Amino acid sequence: MAREPKDPEYLSTLQRGLSVLRAFDQAHPEMALSEVATVTGLPPAAARRCLNTLVALGYVAQVGRKFLLRPEVLSFGSAYLASMNIEQVAVPPLQLLRDNTGDSASLAVRSGRDLLYVCHIPTNRRIRLGVGVGTRFPLHATSMGKVLLAYQEPAGIEAFLAAGALARLTERTVTDPQAFRDRLRMVRERSYDSALDELDYGIVSVAVPVLGAENRVVAAINCSTSTTRISQDELVRTRLPMLREAAREIEDQLRRWPTLARSLAAG
């Protein structure tokens, strides 16, 4: 569980409730009270109170000794997508990318040490990774993640590296801190990143930044496909111009929808 800030306006009870909701994932679709307490780091009594409250509110169900999420939790994500006009801003250029290339096309932001998908247009082809809005992947193993990290201040990059080891997901995942710094420097120099077999084998992608106010990088977009379809060099050569055009279109739209621009920049 995250350390509580020293702020008299900070509600630790709300933090605990949200940590319980976030504890459920693909690896933990249903859990007993003791498991929730272990995953969240909460005392069992606090975890029980959070679960009972969430059950009463309809966000969690209890079946025997197990707890699991209910569909009501989707209201949080749908409220964000509806209020921030994602459909108008990101979907048209990403849809055009997918239609012109056959690749999946996505927009994502940074969420802590993870990449968080905000918009995703899937390919019609079968790929190894199941991706959708709300999917999270480690920043360091993705092309969009490295684009988002590359434009941080040097102190921010060092803080990211100091916060934990770079997990090796494949033989091609960059895990050496100095090699990772060099990779981010290259991303800044050429304004894109391409990843091959870094997150999982058989996946190749290329990503570019999306700029908000004051030319600050607020998001990234990418094209991703199977290595059986195209080489990494060919992907970069053919997709990069289209990605940059899509990024410019999204940036233009962000100026028309300042609420979404502020939301993305707040991260």
Side-chain angles (χ1 to χ4, degrees):
M1 188 174 65
R3 182 178 298 176
E4 298 178 8
K6 295 180 179 179
D7 182 347
E9 298 295 316
Y10 188 86
L11 289 176
S12 59
T13 52
L14 178 58
Q15 175 190 304
R16 292 169 184 171
L18 292 174
S19 72
V20 168
L21 281 179
R22 291 168 64 94
F24 294 90
D25 56 21
Q26 188 173 13
H28 306 92
E30 57 179 4
M31 293 182 283
L33 169 61
S34 60
E35 294 173 291
V36 173
T38 298
V39 171
T40 60
L42 291 171
R48 184 182 67 252
R49 289 194 295 271
C50 290
L51 286 167
N52 289 342
T53 301
L54 292 168
V55 168
L57 293 173
Y59 297 116
V60 170
Q62 182 175 5
V63 181
R65 298 175 61 85
K66 296 283 189 176
F67 295 89
L68 64 156
L69 296 180
R70 297 196 64 234
E72 189 66 24
V73 297
L74 293 172
S75 60
F76 295 114
S78 62
Y80 177 80
L81 295 175
S83 65
M84 294 296 161
N85 302 292
I86 295 292
E87 288 281 333
Q88 294 91 332
V89 173
V91 169
L94 294 182
Q95 183 74 58
L96 184 62
L97 265 177
R98 198 285 305 271
D99 292 347
N100 287 340
T101 65
D103 308 333
S104 63
S106 308
L107 180 144
V109 298
R110 181 180 178 179
S111 177
R113 295 181 65 78
D114 290 338
L115 182 77
L116 177 65
Y117 281 71
V118 176
C119 184
H120 178 70
I121 309 298
T123 179
N124 292 326
R125 298 173 174 85
R126 184 177 179 180
I127 58 175
R128 283 183 68 93
L129 293 174
V131 177
V133 173
T135 295
R136 308 172 75 94
F137 291 127
L139 283 167
H140 72 281
T142 64
S143 58
M144 287 192 288
K146 285 190 281 293
V147 163
L148 293 170
L149 282 171
Y151 293 92
Q152 299 288 303
E153 293 295 328
I157 295 173
E158 292 306 312
F160 174 82
L161 290 170
L166 304 178
R168 184 176 298 280
L169 304 180
T170 74
E171 293 180 354
R172 295 185 65 95
T173 308
V174 181
T175 59
D176 176 73
Q178 187 54 52
F180 194 71
R181 292 185 188 96
D182 294 341
R183 177 71 168 270
L184 296 186
R185 188 178 304 111
M186 185 182 300
V187 174
R188 290 193 299 274
E189 290 172 355
R190 61 190 188 182
S191 297
Y192 78 88
D193 185 67
S194 179
L196 173 66
D197 294 341
E198 294 186 44
L199 180 65
D200 196 3
Y201 294 106
I203 303 296
V204 61
S205 65
V206 58
V208 301
V210 174
L211 304 181
E214 301 177 353
N215 288 327
R216 177 185 175 188
V217 175
V218 296
I221 60 173
N222 83 338
C223 284
S224 179
T225 191
S226 168
T227 54
T228 60
R229 289 188 63 226
I230 193 169
S231 69
Q232 185 178 26
D233 288 345
E234 182 71 4
L235 182 81
V236 172
R237 186 184 69 80
T238 58
R239 274 48 166 181
L240 194 54
M242 290 184 281
L243 270 170
R244 285 177 168 157
E245 177 60 29
R248 286 191 290 268
E249 292 181 23
I250 292 172
E251 291 163 359
D252 288 342
Q253 288 297 313
L254 287 176
R255 286 188 278 272
R256 297 183 56 199
W257 302 98
T259 302
L260 174 58
R262 288 192 292 271
S263 173
L264 295 176

